[in-house]
Amino acid sequence: MSKRPFGLAVAQMGPVQPDETRRQAVARLLAMMREAHARGAKLVVFPELALTTFFPRYWMTEEEAVARYFEKEMPGPDTRILFDTARELGIGFYLGYAEVASDGRRFNTSILVDTNARIVGRYRKIHLPGHSDHKPQAPFQHLEKKFFEVGNEGFNVWETLGTRIGMCLCNDRRWTEAWRVLALQGAEVVALGYNTPSLNIHWNEPVHLRMFHHLLSLQAAAYQNAVWVAAAGKAGVEDGSHLIAGSAIVAPTGEIVAQAQGEEDEVIFCQADLALGDTFKQHIFNFAAHRRPEHYGLILERVGAGPALGKTPLP
Amino acid sequence: MSKRPFGLAVAQMGPVQPDETRRQAVARLLAMMREAHARGAKLVVFPELALTTFFPRYWMTEEEAVARYFEKEMPGPDTRILFDTARELGIGFYLGYAEVASDGRRFNTSILVDTNARIVGRYRKIHLPGHSDHKPQAPFQHLEKKFFEVGNEGFNVWETLGTRIGMCLCNDRRWTEAWRVLALQGAEVVALGYNTPSLNIHWNEPVHLRMFHHLLSLQAAAYQNAVWVAAAGKAGVEDGSHLIAGSAIVAPTGEIVAQAQGEEDEVIFCQADLALGDTFKQHIFNFAAHRRPEHYGLILERVGAGPALGKTPLP
């Protein structure tokens, strides 16, 4: 099978402190966009909530959060230069940010922008982690369920940049349904941004597991769905709270082919061979040949776990 | 949370050659059952098609296969001693074998047997790999789609041995839907047997990937479904064809807590703390709090991949 090379870059960000302006954050993204382009990237993936600090750690009113951390328009005055530069360079990008829609609804959102600086796709995060109540005993909050609604547009794939690109965000990477819905639309590349605190405030989870679960989820998803995965994190200590790094590009073999080395701004790049995904799609993960949806009913019928179906055959 | 220890053993088998009798294979299983019991096991998991060589590698008629390799009754004359010994020791077991039903239908089957030697559960393999046609150019065949029907009883979980146990077989471990349907029935332990050739006859897959994909699939499934996984392989060179080893017990953290060291008969054991699964079920994989089936529709609507849903929002 002949190769189908696709220049794929991930731009990890070091911490964004609360007093950093949008303009400062965008300047960092721009520098990495230029580096990604210079290395041959057709697409550069930026983190979730890339324009601000990871504000769900703060207890505050929704109004206060919107005023400080949400984007009312995209592009806006501070972000337009990202679009202009992408058009000038001829590079596409994925960007995560907090979106307040014209009707006031709030989402944790990513967009996919093509080489003409057109927003071709939007994803509003579906698997929101954390809580909505105040936990004053916790060292910090994880208020995604307070500040964001569950995404209302599903998991989608877009034909652009010469391939088919799906999007998801952060916690989605742990949920196999998200990946499968993208793969069932023929995704070849899945982009995702994340912000993952190394401390789990809900129970005394060993810290090393956070990085392990992050990479395990990416690798299994890439393999079991025959897609390239490009995952961009915001990393390091933000206002006293540590976020894991580990930004990575994973091949459809499940192998990590590029990984960030530190917890600072860093571009990683890979000349991804899209044909490698075709091989897996034609053999072991030939969905049409092997999937058996008649036995998957509970995935839609139930939300939470319930009793066993209780089939006890006679011997 | 107080611990809920459960003695869990996996009995890997070295190769079973074509001329080995059922009685010889069962003697090997018995020895490992006794060792598992001596180490404190409440359940011992044996491989897929544990009573014979991995016969789907041979081109032959269905009648020939049934005559040589299928069980017409369970227990039968050669396997009854497994049940008698289990009752005597007070240990449960999982056993994979080729089943021909009374109506002549053929399945790749596993059973779950309790400490009273009662068959409490049966699973007929759903994700059959391989092909049904003769591939004379290949070094060996992989004829599961010829010799077996797709399982007709779904993915099930049984309350037994003081826990909830789900079953699947071999290639099922690569399919996230199988695990999720088990987890949605509250599985705490999932047992599976496998026979995995190290050579992929369908394309020139690097051999090291077979072991990597095996472990990756087990680890991701254990973590993302908050279950203990007990996976027993048949390993080594059977009649010139090499099967991977790597029998393993994986915790709900996704970590391998026991793994076979070689390619021979070998018992691995772990005092599994079932409460560890509860922790994950109550937090990050609290399905009731986090799953969003309204966005999973394609998983049932489509078998194979189709076009993108094509949602392109206006910016």
Side-chain angles (χ1 to χ4, degrees):
Chain A
M1 195 178 292
S2 56
K3 291 202 177 192
R4 294 195 289 128
F6 181 80
L8 185 55
V10 161
Q12 175 175 284
M13 298 182 81
V16 176
Q17 302 305 341
D19 61 356
E20 188 163 334
T21 65
R22 299 287 202 290
R23 193 173 297 262
Q24 289 171 314
V26 166
R28 292 164 58 182
L29 298 177
L30 273 179
M32 291 199 284
M33 179 184 278
R34 291 190 183 281
E35 180 180 342
H37 172 258
R39 293 170 71 178
K42 188 95 175 178
L43 173 70
V44 56
V45 178
F46 294 123
E48 176 193 41
L49 301 175
L51 303 174
T52 66
T53 200
F54 186 60
F55 65 85
R57 80 171 67 89
Y58 304 117
W59 179 256
M60 60 187 148
T61 65
E62 285 79 347
E63 293 69 29
E64 204 176 338
V66 166
R68 288 192 191 170
Y69 298 112
F70 280 67
E71 309 304 311
K72 282 117 203 132
E73 50 180 347
M74 183 58 63
D78 293 326
T79 47
R80 186 169 307 278
I81 191 170
L82 275 173
F83 290 71
D84 293 343
T85 306
R87 190 192 298 106
E88 169 199 322
L89 298 174
I91 189 172
F93 68 91
Y94 163 110
L95 177 71
Y97 63 94
E99 173 200 7
V100 57
S102 53
D103 61 2
R105 299 173 75 179
R106 300 177 307 277
F107 298 100
N108 187 342
T109 294
S110 64
I111 50 171
L112 183 62
V113 179
D114 71 9
T115 54
N116 295 315
R118 195 171 65 95
I119 297 176
V120 294
R122 177 175 65 199
Y123 170 65
R124 289 166 165 174
K125 186 173 178 179
I126 287 173
H127 294 105
L128 296 172
H131 52 100
S132 57
D133 56 320
H134 191 201
K135 295 191 184 299
Q137 293 81 5
F140 55 89
Q141 310 294 304
H142 198 137
L143 294 163
E144 291 195 54
K145 285 195 194 288
K146 173 180 171 73
F147 293 131
F148 303 117
E149 282 185 51
V150 172
N152 59 348
E153 299 182 326
F155 295 103
N156 295 287
V157 170
W158 293 272
E159 292 226 25
T160 185
L161 306 176
T163 181
R164 291 186 295 274
I165 302 176
M167 291 196 280
C168 57
L169 276 162
C170 197
N171 187 42
D172 289 320
R173 70 198 187 284
R174 308 181 200 275
W175 295 87
T176 58
E177 292 91 347
W179 298 96
R180 191 63 104 219
V181 171
L182 295 175
L184 283 166
Q185 297 173 71
E188 297 192 311
V189 177
V190 176
L192 84 143
Y194 61 94
N195 284 259
T196 301
S198 57
L199 198 69
N200 186 333
I201 63 170
H202 300 288
W203 68 286
N204 188 26
E205 185 180 34
V207 170
H208 77 276
L209 289 178
R210 300 293 260 184
M211 179 63 80
F212 172 59
H213 291 158
H214 158 65
L215 294 174
L216 177 64
S217 295
L218 299 184
Q219 294 182 269
Y223 166 58
Q224 293 171 335
N225 295 283
V227 294
W228 285 87
V229 173
K234 189 139 57 63
V237 180
E238 278 192 351
D239 196 17
S241 171
H242 182 258
L243 302 165
I244 65 165
S247 298
I249 300 174
V250 183
T253 59
E255 294 176 300
I256 297 168
V257 296
Q259 185 173 334
Q261 299 164 49
E263 299 190 334
E264 298 298 321
D265 288 10
E266 179 179 345
V267 175
I268 58 174
F269 171 80
C270 153
Q271 198 65 261
D273 177 16
L274 300 179
L276 188 56
D278 295 337
T279 302
F280 283 90
K281 286 178 169 83
Q282 285 162 20
H283 296 292
I284 196 152
F285 294 114
N286 181 334
F287 287 174
H290 301 307
R291 291 184 77 246
R292 296 289 162 183
E294 67 272 26
H295 294 299
Y296 306 158
L298 281 193
I299 291 171
L300 294 199
E301 286 164 29
R302 291 184 179 175
V303 182
L309 294 178
K311 289 197 186 164
T312 304
L314 295 176
Chain B
M1 195 177 293
S2 57
K3 292 204 177 189
R4 293 196 291 127
F6 181 78
L8 184 55
V10 161
Q12 175 174 284
M13 297 182 83
V16 176
Q17 302 305 340
D19 61 355
E20 189 163 335
T21 64
R22 300 285 203 292
R23 195 174 294 263
Q24 289 171 316
V26 167
R28 292 163 59 182
L29 297 178
L30 273 179
M32 292 199 285
M33 179 184 277
R34 290 189 182 282
E35 180 179 342
H37 173 258
R39 292 170 72 179
K42 188 94 174 178
L43 172 71
V44 56
V45 178
F46 295 123
E48 177 193 41
L49 300 175
L51 303 174
T52 67
T53 200
F54 186 60
F55 65 85
R57 79 170 67 91
Y58 304 117
W59 179 256
M60 59 187 150
T61 66
E62 284 80 347
E63 293 68 30
E64 205 177 337
V66 166
R68 287 194 193 170
Y69 299 112
F70 281 67
E71 309 305 311
K72 282 115 204 135
E73 50 180 347
M74 184 58 63
D78 293 326
T79 46
R80 186 169 308 275
I81 191 170
L82 276 174
F83 291 71
D84 293 342
T85 307
R87 189 191 300 108
E88 169 199 321
L89 299 174
I91 189 172
F93 68 92
Y94 163 111
L95 176 72
Y97 64 94
E99 173 199 6
V100 57
S102 53
D103 61 1
R105 300 173 75 180
R106 299 177 307 277
F107 299 99
N108 187 342
T109 294
S110 63
I111 49 170
L112 185 60
V113 178
D114 72 8
T115 52
N116 295 315
R118 197 172 65 99
I119 297 175
V120 293
R122 178 175 65 200
Y123 170 66
R124 290 166 164 174
K125 186 173 177 179
I126 286 173
H127 295 104
L128 296 172
H131 52 101
S132 57
D133 56 319
H134 192 200
K135 295 189 184 300
Q137 293 82 4
F140 56 88
Q141 311 293 303
H142 198 137
L143 294 164
E144 291 195 52
K145 285 194 194 288
K146 173 180 171 71
F147 295 129
F148 304 116
E149 282 185 51
V150 171
N152 60 348
E153 299 182 325
F155 295 101
N156 295 288
V157 170
W158 293 273
E159 293 226 26
T160 186
L161 305 176
T163 179
R164 290 186 296 275
I165 302 176
M167 290 196 281
C168 57
L169 276 163
C170 198
N171 187 42
D172 289 320
R173 69 197 186 287
R174 308 179 200 275
W175 296 87
T176 57
E177 292 91 346
W179 299 96
R180 191 65 104 218
V181 171
L182 295 175
L184 283 166
Q185 297 173 71
E188 298 192 310
V189 177
V190 176
L192 85 142
Y194 62 95
N195 284 258
T196 302
S198 57
L199 200 68
N200 186 333
I201 64 170
H202 301 288
W203 69 286
N204 189 25
E205 185 180 34
V207 170
H208 77 277
L209 289 178
R210 299 293 260 183
M211 180 62 82
F212 172 58
H213 291 159
H214 158 66
L215 294 174
L216 177 64
S217 296
L218 298 184
Q219 293 182 270
Y223 167 56
Q224 293 172 334
N225 295 283
V227 293
W228 284 88
V229 173
K234 190 138 58 63
V237 179
E238 278 191 351
D239 197 17
S241 170
H242 183 259
L243 302 166
I244 65 166
S247 298
I249 300 174
V250 183
T253 59
E255 295 175 300
I256 297 167
V257 296
Q259 184 174 335
Q261 300 164 49
E263 299 189 335
E264 299 298 321
D265 287 10
E266 180 180 345
V267 175
I268 57 174
F269 171 82
C270 154
Q271 198 64 261
D273 177 15
L274 300 178
L276 187 57
D278 295 337
T279 301
F280 283 90
K281 286 179 168 85
Q282 286 162 19
H283 296 292
I284 196 152
F285 295 114
N286 181 334
F287 289 173
H290 301 307
R291 291 184 77 247
R292 294 290 164 183
E294 67 271 27
H295 294 299
Y296 306 157
L298 281 193
I299 290 170
L300 294 200
E301 286 164 28
R302 291 184 178 176
V303 181
L309 294 177
K311 290 197 186 166
T312 304
L314 294 176

